[in-house]
Every structure is written in structure tokens, then in C-alpha cells.
Amino acid sequence: GAGVSQSPSNKVTEKGKDVELRCDPISGHTALYWYRQSLGQGLEFLIYFQGNSAPDKSGLPSDRFSAERTGGSVSTLTIQRTQQEDSAVYLCASSMGQGALNYGYTFGSGTRLTVV
Amino acid sequence: AQSVAQPEDQVNVAEGNPLTVKCTYSVSGNPYLFWYVQYPNRGLQFLLKYITGDNLVKGSYGFEAEFNKSQTSFHLKKPSALVSDSALYFCAVRVWRDDKIIFGKGTRLHILP
């Protein structure tokens, strides 16, 4: 597609429920990143996929968070047993391989998650 | 560990005045530095980058940034601010061989008419 697409744009869930957030990167972009934007916390790196390599999961805050990327394209971020502190905007970005260096990232509009 | 600091949560500037948004970084190795902007209800947009070469980098919308290695800073500047520049600005750093970018906490820029 023309840009990075994220769905849903807004999600309200009850504490303890599982949620899935979807990211559809720009066609041809081999690298995909998930970030979390919380009020006053800036952008927190969560996970990074590059081609067929093992993902860099070093930013995932707990084992309740996981992500997968199927067929090198669409990615799903799953949060199990959601907690109120998980409330944030979850941003996805993609780039052309080492594109973070040459091209920067292209970000989606994000999913605003509210845990009540 | 690499990190980025934006010491100001908010910066207020009168329209037409020059603006500066501060950023300092801490990395081991050569830094690659970026500025991104987030307008209200819109996604994050790439503004400019420093990889190598001239310390003064020019980007979109008339913004520029100056890389200062001795002060480990990468301040964002614009000679004459516009009300439309009001947004949230993020500084970011990447280290060679590490393809993820680390962002600062952001600085909210208010341009007063």
C-alpha cells in the first residue's frame, strides 16, 4: 500500500482481556518496528523484524507481549491479560532493510489502546 | 547503552522568532541522528537526519539541525517560527550495526501568534 496501515485505530478493552494489534507495512519494506507511545514517556522501542532474521525482542516489557510477522509482511502485536499500564498508542513503522539509516522510518497512524 | 535526552518538555516561541529544540545523546560508536515531528492527530514524520559530513543538516519545512560531537548534541533549529510548526518533536539516535532507533521523550513546541 501507499503507507503503513494499522488497525484498529482505537481499541478499548477490559483489564485481563487479550488484544491483537495489526500492522500492514509498505509493500517491499523488509524491516518492521513496533513502538509504544505513552504520555510523558516518549517512544519506547518494543520489537523489530528484519527479513527472515530472528526478531529483536529486547524492548518487550513483559512476557505478556508478543509479536509475529507472517510472510515477511503483516505483523500482529499481541498483548495478553492486559493491564491498565498497557494503555498507550502503539505505533508501527517500516523501512527498506537498512533503511533506518538511509531513508528513515515510515510510521503508521497508530492504535490507541485503552484498558479499563 | 545508547540514549537520547530532550531536556525540555515544552518550548514556547513567538511567531517569527528563531526556535531551538535541544537534544543530547549518549552512544558508543558513531551516532546516526534523526528528528521526527508529530502533528496533532497525525502520524510521526521524518524531518531530517545526520549520518556523516557537514555538521549542519537541512531538512523539511525549513528546519535544520547542528551536530556537535564534542557536546554530543543535535539541536533542532529554525530561523523564523510559524504557528504551523506547533507540534511534538522527537530526537532519535541509531548506532552502527544496530538497526533500531532509540527516541527521546519528545518536546512539545508551541508557536505563539
Side-chain angles (χ1 to χ4, degrees), chain B residues 41-63:
Chain B
N41 301 315
R42 292 171 62 180
L44 218 57
Q45 297 178 28
F46 171 79
L47 203 55
L48 53 77
K49 66 183 179 186
Y50 170 83
I51 305 299
T52 186
D54 290 341
N55 290 340
L56 187 63
V57 177
K58 294 187 183 297
S60 307
Y61 312 119
F63 283 93

mmCIF file of all heavy atoms in Angstrom, chain B residues 41-63:
data_model
loop_
_atom_site.group_PDB
_atom_site.id
_atom_site.type_symbol
_atom_site.label_atom_id
_atom_site.label_comp_id
_atom_site.label_asym_id
_atom_site.label_seq_id
_atom_site.Cartn_x
_atom_site.Cartn_y
_atom_site.Cartn_z
ATOM 1 N N ASN B 41 -3.005 14.603 15.868
ATOM 2 C CA ASN B 41 -3.855 13.620 15.172
ATOM 3 C C ASN B 41 -3.255 13.126 13.869
ATOM 4 O O ASN B 41 -3.972 12.680 12.977
ATOM 5 C CB ASN B 41 -5.254 14.206 14.904
ATOM 6 C CG ASN B 41 -5.941 14.605 16.199
ATOM 7 O OD1 ASN B 41 -5.919 13.855 17.176
ATOM 8 N ND2 ASN B 41 -6.524 15.787 16.220
ATOM 9 N N ARG B 42 -1.931 13.201 13.778
ATOM 10 C CA ARG B 42 -1.266 12.676 12.594
ATOM 11 C C ARG B 42 -0.090 11.807 13.008
ATOM 12 O O ARG B 42 0.388 11.870 14.142
ATOM 13 C CB ARG B 42 -0.791 13.817 11.693
ATOM 14 C CG ARG B 42 -1.949 14.576 11.059
ATOM 15 C CD ARG B 42 -1.502 15.822 10.355
ATOM 16 N NE ARG B 42 -0.589 15.572 9.253
ATOM 17 C CZ ARG B 42 -0.070 16.522 8.489
ATOM 18 N NH1 ARG B 42 -0.375 17.776 8.712
ATOM 19 N NH2 ARG B 42 0.749 16.234 7.510
ATOM 20 N N GLY B 43 0.373 11.000 12.093
ATOM 21 C CA GLY B 43 1.477 10.093 12.398
ATOM 22 C C GLY B 43 2.799 10.819 12.508
ATOM 23 O O GLY B 43 2.925 12.005 12.232
ATOM 24 N N LEU B 44 3.798 10.072 12.920
ATOM 25 C CA LEU B 44 5.145 10.600 13.066
ATOM 26 C C LEU B 44 5.785 10.757 11.692
ATOM 27 O O LEU B 44 5.728 9.845 10.858
ATOM 28 C CB LEU B 44 5.959 9.611 13.889
ATOM 29 C CG LEU B 44 6.964 10.142 14.884
ATOM 30 C CD1 LEU B 44 6.295 11.050 15.886
ATOM 31 C CD2 LEU B 44 7.649 9.001 15.595
ATOM 32 N N GLN B 45 6.405 11.910 11.446
ATOM 33 C CA GLN B 45 7.013 12.164 10.146
ATOM 34 C C GLN B 45 8.510 12.430 10.290
ATOM 35 O O GLN B 45 8.932 13.144 11.184
ATOM 36 C CB GLN B 45 6.371 13.386 9.496
ATOM 37 C CG GLN B 45 4.895 13.253 9.196
ATOM 38 C CD GLN B 45 4.329 14.529 8.603
ATOM 39 O OE1 GLN B 45 5.041 15.293 7.950
ATOM 40 N NE2 GLN B 45 3.062 14.778 8.840
ATOM 41 N N PHE B 46 9.266 11.877 9.372
ATOM 42 C CA PHE B 46 10.704 12.110 9.310
ATOM 43 C C PHE B 46 10.973 13.549 8.920
ATOM 44 O O PHE B 46 10.367 14.079 7.981
ATOM 45 C CB PHE B 46 11.310 11.141 8.284
ATOM 46 C CG PHE B 46 12.739 11.386 7.937
ATOM 47 C CD1 PHE B 46 13.749 10.971 8.775
ATOM 48 C CD2 PHE B 46 13.077 12.020 6.757
ATOM 49 C CE1 PHE B 46 15.075 11.180 8.437
ATOM 50 C CE2 PHE B 46 14.394 12.231 6.408
ATOM 51 C CZ PHE B 46 15.398 11.811 7.254
ATOM 52 N N LEU B 47 11.885 14.205 9.640
ATOM 53 C CA LEU B 47 12.194 15.618 9.404
ATOM 54 C C LEU B 47 13.589 15.793 8.803
ATOM 55 O O LEU B 47 13.750 16.458 7.775
ATOM 56 C CB LEU B 47 12.093 16.375 10.726
ATOM 57 C CG LEU B 47 11.849 17.871 10.719
ATOM 58 C CD1 LEU B 47 10.604 18.229 9.925
ATOM 59 C CD2 LEU B 47 11.715 18.370 12.152
ATOM 60 N N LEU B 48 14.573 15.209 9.438
ATOM 61 C CA LEU B 48 15.933 15.287 8.920
ATOM 62 C C LEU B 48 16.817 14.275 9.637
ATOM 63 O O LEU B 48 16.415 13.680 10.631
ATOM 64 C CB LEU B 48 16.509 16.700 9.065
ATOM 65 C CG LEU B 48 16.474 17.382 10.438
ATOM 66 C CD1 LEU B 48 17.556 16.854 11.365
ATOM 67 C CD2 LEU B 48 16.616 18.884 10.303
ATOM 68 N N LYS B 49 18.034 14.111 9.085
ATOM 69 C CA LYS B 49 18.961 13.144 9.663
ATOM 70 C C LYS B 49 20.386 13.642 9.519
ATOM 71 O O LYS B 49 20.712 14.423 8.621
ATOM 72 C CB LYS B 49 18.829 11.797 8.962
ATOM 73 C CG LYS B 49 19.271 11.847 7.511
ATOM 74 C CD LYS B 49 19.073 10.524 6.777
ATOM 75 C CE LYS B 49 19.521 10.662 5.322
ATOM 76 N NZ LYS B 49 19.245 9.486 4.516
ATOM 77 N N TYR B 50 21.251 13.152 10.406
ATOM 78 C CA TYR B 50 22.695 13.327 10.279
ATOM 79 C C TYR B 50 23.320 11.941 10.251
ATOM 80 O O TYR B 50 23.130 11.151 11.177
ATOM 81 C CB TYR B 50 23.284 14.137 11.434
ATOM 82 C CG TYR B 50 24.790 14.109 11.410
ATOM 83 C CD1 TYR B 50 25.504 14.981 10.598
ATOM 84 C CD2 TYR B 50 25.498 13.169 12.151
ATOM 85 C CE1 TYR B 50 26.892 14.930 10.534
ATOM 86 C CE2 TYR B 50 26.879 13.109 12.102
ATOM 87 C CZ TYR B 50 27.568 13.989 11.299
ATOM 88 O OH TYR B 50 28.936 13.923 11.222
ATOM 89 N N ILE B 51 24.076 11.685 9.176
ATOM 90 C CA ILE B 51 24.797 10.414 9.074
ATOM 91 C C ILE B 51 26.285 10.686 9.132
ATOM 92 O O ILE B 51 27.015 10.137 9.933
ATOM 93 C CB ILE B 51 24.428 9.664 7.776
ATOM 94 C CG1 ILE B 51 22.907 9.463 7.685
ATOM 95 C CG2 ILE B 51 25.165 8.334 7.699
ATOM 96 C CD1 ILE B 51 22.330 8.641 8.805
ATOM 97 N N THR B 52 26.749 11.542 8.247
ATOM 98 C CA THR B 52 28.150 11.938 8.196
ATOM 99 C C THR B 52 28.238 13.209 7.378
ATOM 100 O O THR B 52 27.257 13.645 6.778
ATOM 101 C CB THR B 52 29.006 10.810 7.586
ATOM 102 O OG1 THR B 52 30.391 11.165 7.681
ATOM 103 C CG2 THR B 52 28.662 10.620 6.116
ATOM 104 N N GLY B 53 29.419 13.839 7.373
ATOM 105 C CA GLY B 53 29.584 15.016 6.524
ATOM 106 C C GLY B 53 29.370 16.302 7.282
ATOM 107 O O GLY B 53 29.723 16.425 8.463
ATOM 108 N N ASP B 54 28.772 17.281 6.622
ATOM 109 C CA ASP B 54 28.574 18.599 7.214
ATOM 110 C C ASP B 54 27.793 18.511 8.518
ATOM 111 O O ASP B 54 26.796 17.784 8.602
ATOM 112 C CB ASP B 54 27.817 19.519 6.248
ATOM 113 C CG ASP B 54 28.651 19.907 5.050
ATOM 114 O OD1 ASP B 54 29.886 19.781 5.145
ATOM 115 O OD2 ASP B 54 28.077 20.318 4.035
ATOM 116 N N ASN B 55 28.244 19.279 9.482
ATOM 117 C CA ASN B 55 27.587 19.243 10.784
ATOM 118 C C ASN B 55 26.213 19.897 10.756
ATOM 119 O O ASN B 55 25.376 19.613 11.614
ATOM 120 C CB ASN B 55 28.453 19.918 11.842
ATOM 121 C CG ASN B 55 29.688 19.099 12.151
ATOM 122 O OD1 ASN B 55 29.734 17.902 11.879
ATOM 123 N ND2 ASN B 55 30.695 19.745 12.712
ATOM 124 N N LEU B 56 25.978 20.778 9.808
ATOM 125 C CA LEU B 56 24.677 21.437 9.702
ATOM 126 C C LEU B 56 23.846 20.691 8.651
ATOM 127 O O LEU B 56 24.219 20.614 7.493
ATOM 128 C CB LEU B 56 24.833 22.900 9.312
ATOM 129 C CG LEU B 56 23.550 23.733 9.325
ATOM 130 C CD1 LEU B 56 22.969 23.807 10.729
ATOM 131 C CD2 LEU B 56 23.805 25.121 8.763
ATOM 132 N N VAL B 57 22.734 20.179 9.098
ATOM 133 C CA VAL B 57 21.874 19.380 8.235
ATOM 134 C C VAL B 57 20.567 20.127 8.002
ATOM 135 O O VAL B 57 19.971 20.637 8.943
ATOM 136 C CB VAL B 57 21.563 18.019 8.894
ATOM 137 C CG1 VAL B 57 20.617 17.214 8.022
ATOM 138 C CG2 VAL B 57 22.835 17.252 9.166
ATOM 139 N N LYS B 58 20.136 20.179 6.753
ATOM 140 C CA LYS B 58 18.870 20.847 6.439
ATOM 141 C C LYS B 58 17.802 19.801 6.151
ATOM 142 O O LYS B 58 18.074 18.758 5.539
ATOM 143 C CB LYS B 58 19.051 21.773 5.239
ATOM 144 C CG LYS B 58 19.991 22.947 5.527
ATOM 145 C CD LYS B 58 20.018 23.939 4.401
ATOM 146 C CE LYS B 58 21.024 25.055 4.682
ATOM 147 N NZ LYS B 58 20.650 25.839 5.892
ATOM 148 N N GLY B 59 16.581 20.105 6.605
ATOM 149 C CA GLY B 59 15.501 19.155 6.423
ATOM 150 C C GLY B 59 14.243 19.816 5.899
ATOM 151 O O GLY B 59 14.282 20.881 5.291
ATOM 152 N N SER B 60 13.124 19.159 6.179
ATOM 153 C CA SER B 60 11.839 19.634 5.675
ATOM 154 C C SER B 60 11.365 20.872 6.429
ATOM 155 O O SER B 60 11.777 21.117 7.567
ATOM 156 C CB SER B 60 10.791 18.525 5.824
ATOM 157 O OG SER B 60 11.225 17.321 5.244
ATOM 158 N N TYR B 61 10.475 21.612 5.773
ATOM 159 C CA TYR B 61 9.766 22.748 6.375
ATOM 160 C C TYR B 61 10.695 23.836 6.905
ATOM 161 O O TYR B 61 10.332 24.580 7.817
ATOM 162 C CB TYR B 61 8.840 22.266 7.509
ATOM 163 C CG TYR B 61 7.978 21.080 7.148
ATOM 164 C CD1 TYR B 61 8.084 19.877 7.843
ATOM 165 C CD2 TYR B 61 7.064 21.147 6.099
ATOM 166 C CE1 TYR B 61 7.297 18.787 7.515
ATOM 167 C CE2 TYR B 61 6.278 20.057 5.759
ATOM 168 C CZ TYR B 61 6.406 18.886 6.471
ATOM 169 O OH TYR B 61 5.621 17.795 6.137
ATOM 170 N N GLY B 62 11.898 23.939 6.367
ATOM 171 C CA GLY B 62 12.822 24.988 6.766
ATOM 172 C C GLY B 62 13.611 24.696 8.031
ATOM 173 O O GLY B 62 14.342 25.561 8.524
ATOM 174 N N PHE B 63 13.462 23.490 8.560
ATOM 175 C CA PHE B 63 14.207 23.114 9.753
ATOM 176 C C PHE B 63 15.640 22.707 9.411
ATOM 177 O O PHE B 63 15.915 22.227 8.317
ATOM 178 C CB PHE B 63 13.517 21.954 10.483
ATOM 179 C CG PHE B 63 12.326 22.387 11.275
ATOM 180 C CD1 PHE B 63 11.053 22.347 10.712
ATOM 181 C CD2 PHE B 63 12.472 22.826 12.572
ATOM 182 C CE1 PHE B 63 9.944 22.756 11.442
ATOM 183 C CE2 PHE B 63 11.366 23.227 13.309
ATOM 184 C CZ PHE B 63 10.105 23.187 12.739
#
